[in-house]
Amino acid sequence: MNANLINVLGYTGNNKQFVVKTLNTDLRVSENSKYPELEGPNPYEYLLAGFAGCINALGQSIAKEQGIVLRSLQIEITGDLTALSAEAKEAKPGFSSIEIKLKPATTVSREVLEKWMNEVQLRSPAYNMLVNNIPVSLVLNKDYLYN
């Protein structure tokens, strides 16, 4: 397998819980609105959580490269799903906007932090994917057999 490829496998069964298998763990995804008895984040929360995780890992790494000591880093991401509402029928599905607030605890100046934040944005695969229309192919395999 190509070392640059990241792969996850998702499946659902009769219990209506969607499970995603990753290299190190299983993630349970809930629709929350249809099945409130099923616990777990919904798919949109997972997208934002993954985005936050990517920013955190990259932010920590770039801070070390730039000699910035981060005591902590809080990342708050808010996505507006207005585009999915009934009154937005002509809009594209998904988030209409995403706001990311970075709250680093450090002693460096605002100017240094702005340089750090710009580098995180520049090098973030998640940011690049959301902003630059990365090609996605959807492939259907009809003859899937469940074991």
Side-chain angles (χ1 to χ4, degrees):
M1 181 178 214
N2 182 333
N4 293 325
L5 296 179
I6 297 173
N7 180 267
V8 298
L9 170 67
Y11 61 93
T12 187
N14 292 335
N15 68 356
K16 299 186 176 48
Q17 181 83 52
F18 188 69
V19 177
V20 178
K21 289 191 164 293
T22 69
L23 184 61
N24 298 315
T25 192
D26 291 351
L27 306 171
R28 299 196 183 313
V29 181
S30 173
E31 291 184 37
N32 288 9
S33 59
K34 281 184 153 180
Y35 307 104
E37 70 278 5
L38 300 177
E39 294 182 21
N42 68 44
Y44 305 109
E45 291 167 327
Y46 267 118
L47 282 170
L48 297 181
F51 200 177
C54 183
I55 290 170
N56 177 64
L58 196 53
Q60 299 286 343
S61 176
I62 292 171
K64 284 182 185 175
E65 289 174 13
Q66 295 181 350
I68 300 170
V69 176
L70 291 177
R71 290 189 309 274
S72 67
L73 175 58
Q74 182 177 342
I75 302 166
E76 180 182 347
I77 301 183
T78 304
D80 184 349
L81 283 174
T82 304
L84 292 180
S85 66
E87 58 271 5
K89 292 182 180 178
E90 284 85 41
K92 291 183 178 181
F95 294 108
S96 58
S97 66
I98 296 175
E99 179 182 66
I100 304 167
K101 294 179 184 175
L102 302 178
K103 301 173 185 177
T106 184
T107 58
V108 300
S109 69
R110 182 170 183 85
E111 292 78 24
V112 170
L113 284 175
E114 286 175 357
K115 180 182 174 193
W116 164 79
M117 182 184 69
N118 290 336
E119 188 67 18
V120 170
Q121 180 178 339
L122 179 70
R123 291 169 45 185
S124 170
Y127 184 87
N128 180 49
M129 182 176 61
L130 288 171
V131 173
N132 292 317
N133 296 325
I134 300 300
V136 176
S137 62
L138 189 59
V139 178
L140 175 64
N141 290 323
K142 182 183 178 300
D143 296 328
Y144 169 73
L145 298 176
Y146 179 74
N147 293 329

